[in-house]
Amino acid sequence: MADIQSTGAAAPIVIRRSDYRAPDWLVPDITLDVSLDVLLTRIHATLSVTRNGNHDRALRLDGDGLVPLEVRVDGRALDAGEWTIDGGALVITLPTDTHRIETLVEISPQANSKLMGLYASGGLLCTQCEAQGFRRITFFPDRPDVLSRYRVRMAADKATYPILLANGDPVGQGDLEGGRHWAEWTDPFPKPCYLFALVAGDLACNADSFMTMSGREVALGIWVKEADLLRTAHAMKALKDSMAWDERVYGREYDLDVFNIVAVADFNFGAMENKGLNIFNSRYILADPETATDIDYDGVEGVVAHEYFHNWSGNRVTCRDWFQLSLKEGFTVFRDQNFSADMGSHAVKRIEDVRILRAAQFQEDQGPLAHPVRPESYMEISNFYTATIYNKGAELIRMMALMLGAERFRAGSDLYFDRHDGEAATCEDFVLAMEEGGGIDLTQFRHWYEQAGTPRVKALLSHDAASATVTLTLEQSMQPTAGQPVKQPMAIPLRTALFDPATQAHQGDHLLMLTQEQQSFTFAGFTNLPILSINRGFSAPVILDANRSQADLTFLSAHDDDPFARYEAIQQLMVNVLIGAVAGQPTDEDAVIAAIRNTATDPVLDPAFVAEAIRLPSEAYLGDQMGQVDPDAIHAAREALQRRIGADLEPIWRDIHDRTEANGFSLSSAAKGARKLRNSALAYLIASGASDGPAIAFSQFDRADNMTERQAALAILANGISDEREAALDIFYNRYAADPLVLDKWFQTQALSFHPDTVALVEELGRHKDFTLANPNRVRALYGAFTANQWAFHHSSGEGYRLVADCIIALDALNPQTAARLVPPLGRWKRFDEDRAAKMRAELQHILATTGLSRDVTEQAMKSLE
Ligand code: B3K
Ligand code: ZN
């Protein structure tokens, strides 16, 4: 901490899980009367409040930047001396146990650059309240365990805001004087204020309907700008598929008469599950072949499902406090992952999800911001919407589902929903429901919620010829993390199979429970040493060290019947070669080439699986495998291996590339898989150094009838130096300059590129006329992507760090939440050499020295220096 004492940033207050106390006052009902205007919106709130328990504490209504213009208790206007403002909150001492409180405030949506609370985006007015944005709209106990019934009346100029939407069901509307109109909505389901939403604007609707399993008709609406209406079909299909899936798989039915989704251009993250009125970042709603890649289509499907599933896992059963965030997020990610798997390929979805987990969550665990799935403390809750809460949280649910089996898991989830419907629950409530409903003891498993860090598991297989047995010895360990120097052994479910190399078969999948620090499992009936396939399906989120030979990995890469394990074997072959090359050791590249040839030419395999399996591990993932990350050596080794794979197998890449050219666009799994493989083949073909490579890539770029192929070709060209590169970037820009979501791709592709001047190019793009800090998507497309480009971001000059730090400082003044998300890459300094580490720390100190720095960025930067 010595480093930060010389800076201007004061340490924000720490909120602790152990300090939880039930709310002093409840608010069973609230009425909001909102007179909307982009410059000045007036909010008149009426709260019925009831004292909770026997105490004489004052009523405390959170507020952030609000000034009460009027405060009334039971109809009587209070004098200024009868209330106080404390840390933004309105404090009133009340004589009896139930009262009616009225407040009047004015706020300016236009001046709201934080995009929290009520703000303006592209001519619309919309809200974002999770986690603590409602206090920027009106005075209220802004905590998730205060559940209220809402009645919302909005009034606005009819020409500018013809559509007025809020949570629940519409109950009335009409015209007013002066060209204004009003609409009223009520939501019968009590909800925490973080789920409140309203939208006003000139919106067109893709209207549809869904018949629930009990025969109720729900009116569905996806609201967008008129010009975007044709791009909403995929989102609507995803919504209807999700509704049917949640009925079929979890027995959960939708509960209101309407379900609306609105797309907005300026949004701090992906989307928001407000009751009956989801608000989305437009990138997760709008999709057509010309502008969206297959990954974008999958993103739309997955996020629409995720937000819809929150209606039960999050809204009907919500969180008691923000330490329980993974209760809704981990579970809902698990649900959306399984939905997407059911809609497409289980094998490929699992590989993609693990890739994301390793890239984002494993990195988090290795750094100073490592925290448990259920954190013990925070300064700013917005900083805890992390891969640990979301993706590792989902892995916890997945492990429970695996240990229980489908039927008992369903019994557990039924019990959870039935028991806690209408309540604000805890992670412990979920685990208890799984224990009771599923009939399992999860005592030791609870460490997964408590302990930060990724367990490491060593596996060693030995054979005893005399008894014809094999023994698998497993050993687990966990690195200390901030505040947790010593870790308890975890309960780790490992799906395992033992292959007979002669028959290429195994005798079945075993679910081994590793519960001790060291543990052995013995299997009878083996006359020879079998080949170990372990952590099949990535049954546990651990780092495995099975130290298997190249021969064993080669065998598994060809014969493992678990697709994830097969993928993993090929990846491990590549990692071994690349890490060896970085260390200057002799490496067995032939084994990698053989495995790739074998996989790429196997006619039985799903092309989407092949594309995943033959893809080289990312530079960041390779860095994670090293004691100290050497970005330049990793880059050089990976490029060299890619060249070699490209050149040695060039005819295969040409063949795949030609063969997978489609006539006409389709979104079928087969067509998506073919595009994915085609793009991988193109990348290897270019890497081969073939003289016609850039021309082939340019031709794909030029002729593609879809964004998946066009953007991939652009990205491949952007990595090199060629006339085709400059031409393609120009054409792309001119063709899509009017489409913000596609222009994001133009920025992102350049920020991710391996062009030698990427750092300077990113700096230049930051000054481009289309770059703006006001739009979070644009910031993420340029600077977010750049921090993911290990080689460029960690350029030895330190210029990459400077660029990002300057962006954080400038953005923090506008939008702290999005600024804070850019800090963690600078916090990974311990993983790099002294020179880089010193430069990263210097930038963190530079950030902390900024006057008026937000709590969001202060927390991230302070912790990153520790
Ligand atoms: N619950 C929101 C995330 C809110 C983030 C607030 N900083 C979206 C989601 O996870 O579904
Ligand atoms: Zn969520």
Side-chain angles (χ1 to χ4, degrees):
M1 295 292 270
D3 292 285
I4 57 165
Q5 280 169 4
S6 58
T7 72
I13 293 167
V14 176
I15 320 278
R16 292 181 201 287
R17 184 169 73 90
S18 52
D19 287 345
Y20 175 81
R21 219 176 58 187
D24 284 340
W25 290 83
L26 301 176
V27 187
D29 289 285
I30 171 170
T31 302
L32 290 172
D33 200 337
V34 187
S35 176
L36 289 159
D37 183 86
V38 67
L39 293 177
L40 206 65
T41 289
R42 285 170 80 85
I43 296 127
H44 178 243
T46 308
L47 284 61
S48 69
V49 300
T50 60
R51 198 181 299 267
N52 189 29
N54 193 9
H55 65 80
D56 58 3
R57 285 184 289 276
L59 171 72
R60 193 183 164 89
L61 303 174
D62 296 304
D64 177 1
L66 301 179
V67 177
L69 301 177
E70 195 176 283
V71 181
R72 287 176 181 269
V73 174
D74 301 324
R76 181 179 73 85
L78 299 194
D79 295 332
E82 294 180 274
W83 49 265
T84 54
I85 293 288
D86 174 27
L90 174 64
V91 183
I92 313 169
T93 302
L94 295 171
T96 66
D97 290 351
T98 57
H99 293 278
R100 195 173 83 246
I101 310 294
E102 290 170 77
T103 63
L104 181 68
V105 297
E106 285 178 349
I107 54 177
S108 171
Q110 177 152 292
N112 183 352
S113 62
K114 293 185 179 174
L115 314 185
M116 284 295 282
L118 176 69
Y119 66 94
S121 172
L124 307 177
L125 298 177
C126 65
T127 55
Q128 171 55 40
C129 293
E130 188 177 0
Q132 295 176 334
F134 194 64
R135 62 182 68 183
R136 290 166 56 78
I137 298 175
T138 192
F139 288 107
F140 195 80
D142 191 352
R143 45 188 289 167
D145 57 352
V146 172
L147 276 62
S148 320
R149 269 179 304 270
Y150 281 69
R151 170 174 287 266
V152 180
R153 184 187 156 104
M154 293 162 283
D157 180 72
K158 194 171 181 176
T160 319
Y161 306 109
I163 302 297
L164 301 172
L165 307 170
N167 312 93
D169 297 311
V171 289
Q173 63 178 63
D175 286 336
L176 297 166
E177 282 176 7
R180 289 173 73 82
H181 70 146
W182 65 273
E184 194 166 310
W185 293 67
T186 60
D187 182 356
F189 292 94
K191 62 169 178 288
C193 66
Y194 81 85
L195 290 172
F196 166 80
L198 69 78
V199 174
D202 190 0
L203 292 161
C205 183
N206 176 353
D208 209 323
S209 71
F210 180 82
M211 183 72 81
T212 70
M213 60 187 182
S214 70
R216 273 188 321 103
E217 176 115 2
V218 181
L220 309 177
I222 298 185
W223 299 84
V224 296
K225 297 269 178 64
E226 177 86 46
D228 289 329
L229 210 47
L230 289 173
R231 298 206 270 169
T232 57
H234 191 64
M236 183 57 88
K237 177 181 182 309
L239 175 59
K240 293 202 280 185
D241 287 343
S242 310
M243 296 178 88
W245 189 89
D246 213 15
E247 292 185 348
R248 185 164 55 78
V249 180
Y250 284 87
R252 299 292 123 195
E253 188 176 357
Y254 187 63
D255 47 14
L256 290 162
D257 295 337
V258 302
F259 185 84
N260 285 316
I261 292 179
V262 180
V264 303
D266 305 289
F267 206 69
N268 277 338
F269 35 88
M272 179 64 214
E273 70 265 24
N274 317 298
K275 180 80 188 189
L277 177 57
N278 287 186
I279 299 181
F280 270 63
N281 185 328
S282 53
R283 66 171 297 200
Y284 291 112
I285 288 296
L286 306 179
D288 66 11
E290 173 70 17
T291 59
T293 63
D294 293 340
I295 293 175
D296 296 330
Y297 272 98
D298 290 350
V300 168
E301 181 180 77
V303 179
V304 167
H306 180 100
E307 305 312 330
Y308 174 72
F309 296 154
H310 268 316
N311 190 54
W312 274 95
S313 48
N315 301 3
R316 289 287 288 257
V317 182
T318 193
C319 299
R320 186 193 74 172
D321 55 73
W322 292 119
F323 297 101
Q324 319 298 330
L325 184 56
S326 195
L327 173 72
K328 73 180 179 81
E329 296 305 347
F331 188 24
T332 305
V333 170
F334 173 72
R335 278 150 57 71
D336 85 55
Q337 288 176 343
N338 288 346
F339 165 77
S340 294
D342 282 353
M343 296 293 121
S345 152
H346 281 248
V348 174
K349 179 65 179 151
R350 187 64 186 139
I351 290 168
E352 289 168 351
D353 290 340
V354 174
R355 183 151 41 71
I356 292 166
L357 183 82
R358 284 171 163 166
Q361 202 279 324
F362 280 21
Q363 280 214 349
E364 206 159 82
D365 267 348
Q366 283 188 4
L369 299 171
H371 55 276
V373 168
R374 185 184 51 212
E376 294 299 336
S377 68
Y378 62 76
M379 296 175 188
E380 169 51 60
I381 185 57
S382 295
N383 288 332
F384 281 78
Y385 287 76
T386 60
T388 298
I389 302 295
Y390 276 67
N391 304 65
K392 185 175 178 183
E395 294 298 318
L396 270 50
I397 312 292
R398 185 177 296 275
M399 286 190 280
M400 286 189 261
L402 174 68
M403 292 186 291
L404 285 161
E407 250 175 57
R408 291 194 300 148
F409 179 72
R410 172 66 193 269
S413 77
D414 281 353
L415 180 62
Y416 168 71
F417 285 126
D418 293 349
R419 187 183 271 176
H420 299 291
D421 188 9
E423 287 181 9
T426 61
C427 296
E428 177 61 17
D429 289 329
F430 186 90
V431 175
L432 277 170
M434 284 295 147
E435 282 186 318
E436 289 174 35
I440 191 175
D441 179 354
L442 295 168
T443 308
Q444 190 186 5
F445 186 83
R446 283 173 171 79
H447 290 321
W448 282 103
Y449 282 96
E450 295 151 7
Q451 300 195 129
T454 310
R456 289 178 178 267
V457 176
K458 274 192 181 165
L460 189 74
L461 198 60
S462 62
H463 180 238
D464 180 48
S467 60
T469 57
V470 286
T471 300
L472 175 63
T473 306
L474 299 174
E475 216 180 287
Q476 61 164 304
S477 62
M478 252 168 126
Q479 298 288 318
T481 52
Q484 292 185 337
V486 181
K487 309 276 182 179
Q488 301 302 315
M490 305 278 261
I492 303 177
L494 293 165
R495 281 183 48 213
T496 304
L498 299 170
F499 278 87
D500 179 346
T503 62
Q504 299 175 350
H506 61 83
Q507 303 293 322
D509 207 301
H510 306 269
L511 182 61
L512 305 180
M513 284 305 304
L514 171 60
T515 54
Q516 296 155 25
E517 238 161 76
Q518 207 202 40
Q519 209 169 336
S520 293
F521 299 86
T522 299
F523 305 87
F526 286 89
T527 45
N528 290 307
L529 181 66
I531 294 171
L532 175 65
S533 170
I534 185 165
N535 207 16
R536 292 155 70 80
F538 205 68
S539 57
V542 301
I543 297 171
L544 183 74
D545 175 9
N547 207 4
R548 285 169 294 194
S549 67
Q550 295 293 91
D552 283 3
L553 292 171
T554 299
F555 173 90
L556 295 169
S557 78
H559 303 296
D560 203 318
D561 57 342
D562 177 73
F564 180 82
R566 184 168 178 177
Y567 155 86
E568 187 79 332
I570 307 177
Q571 293 289 306
Q572 193 59 53
L573 282 170
M574 296 177 183
V575 168
N576 292 351
V577 163
L578 290 164
I579 296 299
V582 170
Q585 292 158 359
T587 55
D588 184 3
E589 294 180 10
D590 293 344
V592 169
I593 307 281
I596 292 185
R597 177 191 289 113
N598 185 28
T599 308
T601 54
D602 187 332
V604 178
L605 292 174
D606 170 8
F609 171 84
V610 174
E612 286 291 345
I614 66 172
R615 154 198 203 132
L616 287 175
S618 72
E619 295 189 4
Y621 183 69
L622 293 166
D624 292 347
Q625 315 308 308
M626 299 172 63
Q628 187 177 85
V629 187
D630 182 342
D632 296 321
I634 291 173
H635 181 69
R638 190 176 178 279
E639 292 285 290
L641 182 60
Q642 192 169 21
R643 263 197 309 277
R644 168 95 197 269
I645 298 169
D648 281 18
L649 305 178
E650 188 186 322
I652 294 176
W653 307 129
R654 280 188 193 277
D655 175 55
I656 292 176
H657 192 255
D658 291 347
R659 174 157 56 80
T660 47
E661 177 157 17
N663 311 306
F665 179 80
S666 150
L667 257 188
S668 68
S669 292
K672 282 162 72 180
R675 282 193 287 274
K676 193 166 181 168
L677 185 55
R678 182 163 206 253
N679 289 336
S680 308
L682 181 65
Y684 278 127
L685 185 51
I686 296 276
S688 75
S691 58
D692 58 349
I696 295 175
F698 188 83
S699 155
Q700 173 172 322
F701 168 81
D702 193 37
R703 291 174 47 198
D705 68 352
N706 63 84
M707 184 51 82
T708 306
E709 290 181 20
R710 180 165 287 132
Q711 191 191 0
L714 181 71
I716 288 165
L717 285 169
N719 282 337
I721 302 174
S722 65
D723 294 344
E724 284 88 347
R725 174 191 203 269
E726 303 313 317
L729 283 168
D730 272 357
I731 295 170
F732 194 93
Y733 176 81
N734 288 318
R735 183 167 177 151
Y736 300 111
D739 188 324
L741 293 178
V742 190
L743 206 51
D744 288 339
K745 297 180 191 302
W746 185 78
F747 280 97
Q748 183 192 32
T749 301
Q750 297 180 74
L752 284 173
S753 97
F754 290 145
H755 187 284
D757 297 331
T758 294
V759 184
L761 292 173
V762 168
E763 178 153 34
E764 218 176 288
L765 287 169
R767 292 191 296 264
H768 192 277
K769 70 176 174 57
D770 292 305
F771 183 76
T772 168
L773 289 175
N775 178 261
N777 285 358
R778 193 57 48 86
V779 173
R780 284 186 285 261
L782 184 60
Y783 291 101
F786 178 61
T787 60
N789 185 342
Q790 180 169 280
W791 181 56
F793 175 58
H794 293 281
H795 191 278
S796 55
S797 64
E799 282 299 286
Y801 309 144
R802 186 184 57 81
L803 274 184
V804 171
D806 287 349
C807 169
I808 291 168
I809 292 167
L811 183 56
D812 190 52
L814 295 173
N815 185 339
Q817 212 177 105
T818 295
R821 298 221 147 230
L822 294 171
V823 177
L826 285 169
R828 304 188 60 245
W829 52 272
K830 279 192 190 136
R831 306 276 304 117
F832 292 83
D833 57 84
E834 257 177 52
D835 186 43
R836 285 187 171 88
K839 290 180 165 126
M840 293 165 87
R841 292 175 60 84
E843 293 304 339
L844 288 166
Q845 278 155 349
H846 175 205
I847 292 169
L848 276 172
T850 311
T851 16
L853 201 66
S854 69
R855 184 168 63 225
D856 309 57
V857 171
T858 305
E859 174 177 32
Q860 296 301 73
M862 267 176 53
K863 289 183 174 172
S864 294
L865 276 169
E866 280 166 16

